[in-house]
Amino acid sequence: MAGVSVQAFRRQGRRFGAGLVCSEMVSCAGLHHGNERTLGYLRISADERPLAVQIFGSEPEVMAEAARMVEGAGADLVDVNFGCPVRKVTKTGAGATLLEDPERACGIVSAVAEAVSVPVTVKMRRGLEDGSRACLELGPRLVDAGAASLTLHPRSARQMYTGEADHALTSELVERVNVPVVASGDVSSRARAQAILATTGCAAVMVGRAAQGNPWALREIVDAEPEGPTREEVVAELLLFVRETARELGEQRATGFLKKFYGWYLGRGRFPRPFKQELVQLETLEEVEARLLAAAPHATEVLERLEADLPEGEDDVVLDLPISIFGGG
C-alpha cells in the first residue's frame, strides 16, 4: 500500500469499520538518516488507533533502531515487511527477499522484538518464486524469534498482483504456528472474507486494494451493508480525503499524489469515465473541489456532516524532530 496508506486513508478506514489500520511501509534507512519525508510517515492521530506502522530494511540493528522510533511515535504494533515484491526494495535485501534468507529474517525479528515493548508482527508473501512454500518453513521460526502474529499474502513476489491468492497455503500456515494468522489477498467482499475465515482458520482478514477509493467495501465486509454509496456520498468522501491529504502532505505534494485516487473513487460505474480524466488535468485542488461540487451539489451537506464528526487535529503526534514539509508540522 505504498503511496496509498497515508493518514487520511487510515482514518477513513477506521471510520468505516476497520479494526486495525497500517501505515504504508517505512524505510528504516530513511528513519536512521533522519529523512524528513520518511519521518513524516510517523505522524499519528488518536482517531486512527490502533495503528500498526510497517518498517522495511535488511539490517537487524537499523531495524531495531527504527522500531524504537516507531514505538516512540505512538504505534500500537510494529509490523515487519517481508512481503514487498518491488525491485527497488528487494534488490537491497529487504522485503520479499528475506523469505529466502531465513537466518537474516529471524535475526531482524529477534532484534526488533527485543527493542520494543509493543507487539511485533510480520507480513509475508509465499516466497519469491511461483509455487514456493518458503513462508511455511520460515513462519514458525519467526514466531520463535518473537513475532506475535503473522500476515500472509499467498502470492509469490514474481506474481506481484496477478493470478489468485492461494489461501490453501494460509490454512497450512495456521496449522504450523501458535499465534494469530491474518489472511491477505483478494479480500474484496463479505462473502469472500467469510469464506477465507471459514476455510483457513485464520484469526482475521486484511483488506488492501479493495478499499482504495472504496471505503464502503469495509462497511459491507464488517457490517453486511451491501448498499453502495450515492453520488453525493462518493463526492463528499473524496473531498474530505482531498482536504485531509492536503493538510497532511501540503497542497503542492498532495495535488500530484491524489490523481490516482480520482479513478478509484469515481470508477465502478459511479461517474462517466471522462470525468476522472477531466479532474486529473486540473492544476489545483481548488479547481478539483469546484468541479466535483458542480457534478454533485448536494455533496456539500454530506461533507459538512462528515467534517463535523471529525475529532480536532491537535491530537496528532509526531516524533519530536524537525518535520518542516508537512502541513502544520
Side-chain angles (χ1 to χ4, degrees):
M1 300 294 282
V4 176
S5 191
V6 291
Q7 188 182 68
F9 183 82
R10 303 191 304 262
R11 295 173 81 174
Q12 182 185 68
R14 290 287 290 139
R15 283 194 294 111
F16 276 82
L20 172 72
V21 292
C22 185
S23 73
E24 58 184 295
M25 60 183 189
V26 180
S27 166
C28 291
L31 292 179
H32 175 73
H33 293 295
N35 179 275
E36 280 194 82
R37 179 169 291 188
T38 307
L39 289 169
Y41 293 142
L42 301 188
R43 184 185 187 118
I44 295 173
S45 179
D47 66 324
E48 59 183 307
R49 300 180 68 181
L51 168 72
V53 172
Q54 186 181 90
I55 58 176
F56 76 95
S58 59
E59 298 299 328
E61 299 81 6
V62 178
M63 293 282 277
E65 176 193 15
R68 285 189 288 269
M69 296 173 73
V70 166
E71 182 180 36
D76 301 287
L77 301 171
V78 177
D79 189 56
V80 179
N81 183 302
F82 289 168
C84 181
V86 177
R87 174 65 180 160
K88 69 178 181 180
V89 172
T90 59
K91 72 179 181 182
T92 68
T97 300
L98 288 160
L99 296 170
E100 309 290 346
D101 191 352
E103 296 301 325
R104 182 176 291 273
C106 291
I108 287 172
V109 171
S110 178
V112 170
E114 290 176 6
V116 297
S117 59
V118 297
V120 174
T121 61
V122 180
K123 172 81 180 293
M124 301 187 292
R125 286 208 170 208
R126 69 179 302 160
L128 289 177
E129 301 297 330
D130 295 350
S132 171
R133 295 170 61 84
C135 63
L136 298 181
E137 300 302 320
L138 182 59
R141 296 184 62 180
L142 296 178
V143 173
D144 290 342
S149 177
L150 302 174
T151 298
L152 178 61
H153 182 162
R155 283 183 171 90
S156 68
R158 180 180 292 276
Q159 276 183 278
M160 298 294 284
Y161 296 98
T162 63
E164 294 184 1
D166 180 7
H167 283 292
L169 212 63
T170 307
S171 182
E172 289 190 62
L173 182 63
V174 169
E175 292 296 321
R176 294 190 182 208
V177 298
N178 59 358
V179 298
V181 173
V182 180
S184 173
D186 301 342
V187 183
S188 56
S189 67
R190 182 177 178 85
R192 184 65 178 140
Q194 289 178 323
I196 292 171
L197 287 164
T199 59
T200 68
C202 66
V205 293
M206 177 178 287
V207 181
R209 289 173 295 152
Q212 292 175 344
N214 191 32
W216 300 274
L218 298 176
R219 183 170 290 168
E220 190 264 335
I221 291 171
V222 174
D223 297 326
E225 293 187 14
E227 185 175 340
T230 64
R231 288 166 64 97
E232 287 73 23
E233 288 171 332
V234 170
V235 168
E237 282 292 345
L238 175 53
L239 285 173
L240 180 62
F241 188 81
V242 167
R243 292 178 180 182
E244 290 289 288
T245 301
R247 182 183 70 86
E248 179 182 355
L249 304 183
E251 183 158 346
Q252 182 175 1
R253 183 179 165 208
T255 300
F257 174 87
L258 286 162
K259 290 183 185 296
K260 58 181 173 283
F261 285 89
Y262 300 151
W264 292 338
Y265 274 92
L266 304 176
R268 301 177 176 88
R270 295 168 181 166
F271 284 83
R273 185 171 296 181
F275 185 49
K276 169 255 183 182
Q277 200 57 39
E278 181 182 343
L279 293 182
V280 168
Q281 293 172 357
L282 297 176
E283 295 183 358
T284 68
L285 295 183
E286 183 178 2
E287 291 175 301
V288 169
E289 181 163 334
R291 185 65 188 88
L292 284 167
L293 288 175
H298 293 295
T300 302
E301 302 160 17
V302 182
L303 179 60
E304 288 174 353
R305 291 198 299 271
L306 292 176
E307 291 187 319
D309 290 339
L310 291 178
E312 295 296 327
E314 63 264 16
D315 288 333
D316 283 358
V317 175
V318 291
L319 287 177
D320 188 18
L321 291 167
I323 302 178
S324 61
I325 60 174
F326 292 87

